[in-house]
Amino acid sequence: MAESITIKALQDASLDAKSLEEVVNGNEVKQVTTRKGETYPSVKKAIKTLFENGGLPATPFATKALMTASALVDGDYAQVTDDAVNNGLYVKTAGVWVKSAYSFELIAKELVDSGIENVLGHEELEVSFISGAAINADGPGPLLAKSAGREYARIDVSNVGHIKTVVGEKLENYVYVFTDASLTERILVVNEYGNISVPVPDGAVYLVRTSLINGIAARTILVKGITSESLTDIANDMKDVLKSKEITEKEIINPISGAAIITDMASDNILGYGVGRSYIKIPVKGWSVLRVSGSAFEGLNSPFVYSKDGIKKFAKAVNSDNSDHIIPEGAIYAYKTYTGTSASETSSLSIEKVKTIDDIAEIYNDVNELKVQYSERDSAKTLIAESKMPLYKLSEFLGATSDEKIRAGLAFIKTGGQGILDLEGGTHVINSALLIPSNCWLYLNDSILKLADGVFDNIIRNDGIVLGDEENGYASETNKNTNIRIFGNGINSSAINGPDVPYSAPHPINGGASIPWVGDYFGWRTMGINLANVEDYKIHGFSMTNTTCWAIVQQHGCTNFEIYDIYFDTTVKNGDGIDVLLGCSNGIIRNISGRTHDDMVAISAVSGLRPNLPEGNYIYPLVIGGHSAGEHGADINNITIQNIQGRGRQSGIRLLAQGGARIKHVAINDVKDYTTEGFSYALVLIGGSGYGVDAIEGDITNITLNNATSHKSARTVRFNGYVSDTKINNITQNNTSGVAIDNGSATLINVEATNVIDA
């Protein structure tokens, strides 16, 4: 365990916290001096000074190069406005242009950095002291220099954003190294011998440092320097202070002769040439509003048009009035006629570029992105702590490959009866399906789990599935598993991916040339995560790509489950996202997004379909326990689906009952497509026809749907077959070429639709 934190360290931390509080909450004259003697203005003072100096004669330049080439002299201010990396307020000092101390970018960065550095959050992290080796920081060669009488300290930093050492003996020539999970890659060497305070670099899993050399101890306490909660406080406090402040820049009017602006959006050309005409071109990247006054063209056809590349226009202002004109997202330049054939702008024309502090997204993006990442990691840590199950790290198991280590870890957990396997970051390629036992959690901790190229198998299935004599046929048993969890740190940090190159072979019936074995023709092995007869399980917090058919499937008795926070990107035939099949109940599916080639969420109670395979193009069974009712029945009951958003080839949500199987009590709330692309067939499809024996009255019943909004889908809701005792509400179709509700050939019995808005 780590040593105790000292009283002195706590006193220092308290002073740091006080300094941060004064910086964030001090009045407009407050200047804060930290315990290290450094000074910072309060946020209010910095902003006040910034706006007091906003009237400085700062000459605008599109790029830093143009500013540098100008004739301005020492003491002059300049503003770089349209440079990819050098925007900001500059002052010329001793012949050199430097960022002004009142440049907002520097003030914001200083405040955020100061907050990250000094925020309390001294949660002591456990340090492992491992004997028999020291750290070879410089390389080349192994990171661990093994020798008797040596020792190194190791700390898991996979969930830490910023780390501080607050008590540590100085041992010259032995520094800190951030490394990967295998302790082989030096991700970052921090060339400091004493205390450090640094961000944890991307990809780092451990921080290591020599702690004992020839009997000389250099043990160190390492603490977490930032949490998601403290980031939230910093961002919110800054926003409260800066709220509704405006930055403005007066645009210098320099007309360009020989052309006016074409405002007809039927043409993407910007310029209409002609003698006696002129126009102005304004760089607007990063700005929110063009504020116009004194225009002689008010009410006439001379609005701004906008371009993303200076070649073609993509938008124009609503009017040409003296008012505030919103700059569309993505605009780089704004153009406006200055002298036309019938009128000219007067000398009183004034244009200002305006943005509020809230519009300066870059100030908060890093903080908010970190906050999300920490929140997801903190959530995973909380789940692990509350489970009271032992946590095993992948690096603790023997194996030449990730595949071997993961299987060793799963076998260890199965023998012990319970446990969590932490994949510890990186990409882990497996050569066949992982078989998850009961009471086992697989933690995709900043990790990618990937099926090897050319492999025909699931990525994950529960180990209660016992294969029959025909390895691609029906299972001989689907024994119950309980308490399984497959989870990550969020869709941007963790992933489960199929092969980049799927398995290919000649058609098993027709022979011939090799073809990819993907899609429903080739059965259940094409599914990514395949669960049967599993109770009390959760799947969440990762993305899925390169699937070879349906991505996440539950069938034959799966119950009491929750699937959430999943992002899909599938382009394969039958590329469904989540499928719930025969005999499943009591499930929650929420916060699902992305792109699927087929249905994003499919609830399919289909019985008796294709009992004798092969049949036509269908070679192997999709339902691993068969399409008959079996011991768990065929009905699907009590499913909640919430917050679904995406695009795809078929439907966002599909409910399908056939062959005597029934769907009852499904509650759907908040489903929509993207504003740029929808689902080709329907946002929500509810029906019982199309496969096998059509549903009859009572097969699809007690369905509720609330808040379904289509932007691009052809239909918001599509019914077919028999649907009864169902209510839908708040149904919106924004696609002028689409319809809100399509009853098709449906037979609707006691179905009520309210608050329907059609385009």
Side-chain angles (χ1 to χ4, degrees):
M1 294 295 293
E3 300 171 11
S4 299
I5 195 167
T6 67
I7 296 297
K8 175 65 165 60
L10 288 174
Q11 290 171 339
D12 288 347
S14 177
L15 292 173
D16 290 340
K18 183 175 184 296
S19 296
L20 176 62
E21 191 276 333
E22 291 176 341
V23 167
V24 172
N25 298 315
N27 61 29
E28 293 184 346
V29 298
K30 182 68 175 178
Q31 189 78 6
V32 180
T33 302
T34 71
R35 66 180 174 85
K36 295 182 179 181
E38 297 172 344
T39 59
Y40 298 94
S42 70
V43 174
K44 288 183 179 179
K45 180 179 179 180
I47 298 305
K48 179 174 182 289
T49 306
L50 172 68
F51 285 99
E52 285 176 347
N53 287 275
L56 288 171
T59 304
F61 294 95
T63 65
K64 187 177 180 181
L66 291 174
M67 177 185 71
T68 303
S70 72
L72 296 179
V73 298
D74 283 358
D76 283 344
Y77 283 84
Q79 183 83 24
V80 177
T81 62
D82 198 30
D83 192 306
V85 295
N86 295 308
N87 286 347
L89 181 67
Y90 289 79
V91 61
K92 196 168 189 179
T93 305
V96 178
W97 285 105
V98 295
K99 274 281 183 78
S100 167
Y102 300 113
S103 172
F104 192 83
E105 293 87 347
L106 290 186
I107 293 172
K109 184 178 186 304
E110 187 173 73
L111 290 172
V112 173
D113 287 349
S114 175
I116 288 175
E117 176 71 15
N118 294 314
V119 69
L120 272 177
H122 287 185
E123 174 187 336
E124 192 173 327
L125 301 179
E126 183 174 350
V127 183
S128 300
F129 294 99
I130 302 168
S131 62
I135 300 301
N136 178 18
D138 297 330
L143 176 73
L144 300 181
K146 296 185 177 180
S147 176
R150 298 186 174 194
E151 171 190 87
Y152 70 94
R154 185 182 77 183
I155 183 170
D156 185 341
V157 294
S158 57
N159 293 326
V160 179
H162 193 98
I163 196 159
K164 299 177 71 173
T165 62
V166 295
V167 177
E169 296 82 353
K170 187 173 180 180
L171 189 62
E172 290 188 0
N173 299 322
Y174 296 100
V175 297
Y176 301 86
V177 181
F178 289 98
T179 180
D180 65 350
S182 64
L183 296 177
T184 57
E185 179 185 354
R186 299 172 180 85
I187 294 174
L188 177 67
V189 177
V190 183
N191 289 306
E192 294 289 341
Y193 306 138
N195 289 332
I196 63 171
S197 178
V198 295
V200 176
D202 291 343
V205 177
Y206 293 115
L207 177 64
V208 295
R209 178 193 183 219
T210 297
S211 52
L212 183 69
I213 291 290
N214 299 325
I216 302 174
R219 292 197 165 192
T220 303
I221 292 177
L222 300 145
V223 297
K224 187 195 313 188
I226 191 162
T227 65
S228 59
E229 290 79 11
S230 59
L231 278 166
T232 302
D233 292 341
I234 292 169
N236 288 341
D237 286 343
M238 288 181 68
K239 282 186 177 180
D240 287 342
V241 173
L242 305 177
K243 189 181 300 179
S244 76
K245 298 289 187 180
E246 280 190 356
I247 293 177
T248 62
E249 178 181 295
K250 187 70 175 287
E251 180 64 31
I252 298 175
I253 307 298
N254 289 314
I256 303 170
S257 62
I261 301 303
I262 299 174
T263 58
D264 181 1
M265 293 305 294
S267 167
D268 58 13
N269 292 330
I270 297 172
L271 302 180
Y273 294 96
V275 177
R277 300 182 177 192
S278 65
Y279 68 96
I280 54 176
K281 175 182 177 182
I282 302 171
V284 294
K285 181 180 179 181
W287 295 90
S288 304
V289 170
L290 288 172
R291 181 168 293 163
V292 178
S293 60
S295 172
F297 279 166
E298 182 168 11
L300 300 178
N301 186 26
S302 181
F304 291 102
V305 300
Y306 302 95
S307 171
K308 294 181 178 181
D309 55 12
I311 301 172
K312 298 178 179 180
K313 63 176 178 282
F314 77 101
K316 75 172 181 177
V318 174
N319 57 56
S320 58
D321 293 344
N322 292 317
S323 60
D324 284 0
H325 300 267
I326 304 299
I327 299 170
E329 184 177 355
I332 301 297
Y333 296 106
Y335 301 82
K336 189 180 191 299
T337 296
Y338 186 81
T339 303
T341 55
S342 60
S344 299
E345 295 286 3
T346 67
S347 59
S348 61
L349 172 66
S350 174
I351 299 176
E352 287 182 304
K353 294 186 287 194
V354 184
K355 57 184 170 184
T356 65
I357 298 301
D358 288 338
D359 292 325
I360 310 175
E362 60 267 25
I363 296 172
Y364 305 109
N365 281 349
D366 290 343
V367 171
N368 289 332
E369 182 178 347
L370 283 171
K371 183 180 72 174
V372 170
Q373 291 177 5
Y374 290 130
S375 176
E376 289 166 337
R377 287 175 177 80
D378 289 347
S379 175
K381 288 181 66 178
T382 300
L383 290 172
I384 291 169
E386 292 178 349
S387 74
K388 296 182 170 42
M389 295 197 299
L391 176 66
Y392 302 107
K393 296 184 180 297
L394 187 66
S395 58
E396 297 170 337
F397 294 96
L398 293 176
T401 65
S402 290
D403 185 274
E404 293 174 357
K405 290 180 180 180
I406 293 172
R407 295 181 200 283
L410 295 176
F412 192 89
I413 289 171
K414 183 171 183 177
T415 299
Q418 61 173 339
I420 304 168
L421 182 59
D422 181 351
L423 296 190
E424 297 188 279
T427 298
H428 306 283
V429 179
I430 57 174
N431 300 316
S432 61
L434 298 181
L435 307 182
I436 309 296
S438 294
N439 301 312
C440 177
W441 293 8
L442 185 64
Y443 179 24
L444 306 167
N445 184 4
D446 287 351
S447 300
I448 299 173
L449 182 67
K450 180 183 182 300
L451 191 63
D453 290 348
V455 172
F456 184 62
D457 206 350
N458 309 129
I459 304 172
I460 295 173
R461 63 177 179 265
N462 59 297
D463 76 348
I465 297 174
V466 180
L467 303 187
D469 295 335
E470 168 55 57
E471 64 176 7
N472 297 327
Y474 297 109
S476 62
E477 299 176 42
T478 53
N479 299 310
K480 178 175 285 189
N481 288 114
T482 61
N483 186 28
I484 286 175
R485 188 186 290 260
I486 303 164
F487 68 114
N489 292 326
I491 62 174
N492 295 314
S493 303
S494 306
I496 295 179
N497 296 340
D500 295 326
V501 180
Y503 174 81
S504 293
H507 192 281
I509 304 298
N510 302 329
S514 289
I515 57 174
W517 286 26
V518 299
D520 58 355
Y521 294 159
F522 295 94
W524 59 265
R525 278 190 186 271
T526 60
M527 298 173 185
I529 299 174
N530 195 1
L531 304 180
N533 196 13
V534 182
E535 183 176 1
D536 297 325
Y537 66 92
K538 291 182 171 62
I539 301 173
H540 59 94
F542 57 87
S543 62
M544 288 192 77
T545 63
N546 288 345
T547 59
T548 52
C549 190
W550 302 345
I552 302 174
V553 181
Q554 26 278 306
Q555 53 188 302
H556 292 304
C558 284
T559 186
N560 299 332
F561 61 86
E562 191 168 357
I563 304 171
Y564 59 97
D565 295 346
I566 304 289
Y567 179 89
F568 294 111
D569 188 1
T570 74
T571 57
V572 71
K573 180 183 185 296
N574 305 110
D576 285 11
I578 297 169
D579 285 78
V580 180
L581 306 181
L582 296 169
C584 294
S585 62
N586 303 323
I588 299 173
I589 301 169
R590 60 184 175 87
N591 299 347
I592 310 300
S593 61
R595 171 180 62 167
T596 54
H597 194 256
D598 214 302
D599 305 316
M600 183 161 283
V601 177
I603 312 298
S604 303
V606 179
S607 182
L609 187 65
R610 304 186 193 95
N612 301 308
L613 292 170
E615 178 184 313
N617 291 321
Y618 293 89
I619 311 303
Y620 304 122
L622 271 174
V623 184
I624 197 168
H627 278 279
S628 59
E631 63 176 299
H632 307 290
D635 295 351
I636 299 174
N637 296 299
N638 299 324
I639 305 295
T640 298
I641 306 171
Q642 185 159 312
N643 191 20
I644 310 299
Q645 182 177 20
R647 59 190 176 107
R649 183 171 172 269
Q650 288 294 323
S651 306
I653 298 173
R654 179 171 189 175
L655 275 56
L656 173 65
Q658 305 247 212
R662 296 183 171 186
I663 297 175
K664 298 180 179 180
H665 300 291
V666 175
I668 305 170
N669 186 42
D670 288 333
V671 54
K672 56 189 174 184
D673 55 15
Y674 292 131
T675 57
T676 55
E677 189 175 348
F679 292 94
S680 299
Y681 192 74
L683 185 64
V684 179
L685 172 59
I686 304 173
S689 63
Y691 296 93
V693 179
D694 288 352
I696 61 174
E697 182 178 348
D699 284 352
I700 302 176
T701 185
N702 297 107
I703 312 299
T704 58
L705 168 62
N706 184 57
N707 290 336
T709 302
S710 165
H711 299 289
K712 295 293 184 180
S713 301
R715 307 166 179 86
T716 309
V717 181
R718 160 79 172 180
F719 291 106
N720 65 33
Y722 282 86
V723 180
S724 61
D725 299 324
T726 289
K727 295 183 183 296
I728 63 174
N729 181 55
N730 287 336
I731 310 301
T732 301
Q733 176 59 271
N734 293 319
N735 180 2
T736 55
S737 300
V739 296
I741 299 175
D742 179 359
N743 292 332
S745 57
T747 301
L748 304 181
I749 303 165
N750 192 26
V751 173
E752 179 183 357
T754 52
N755 295 326
V756 178
I757 301 174
D758 220 331

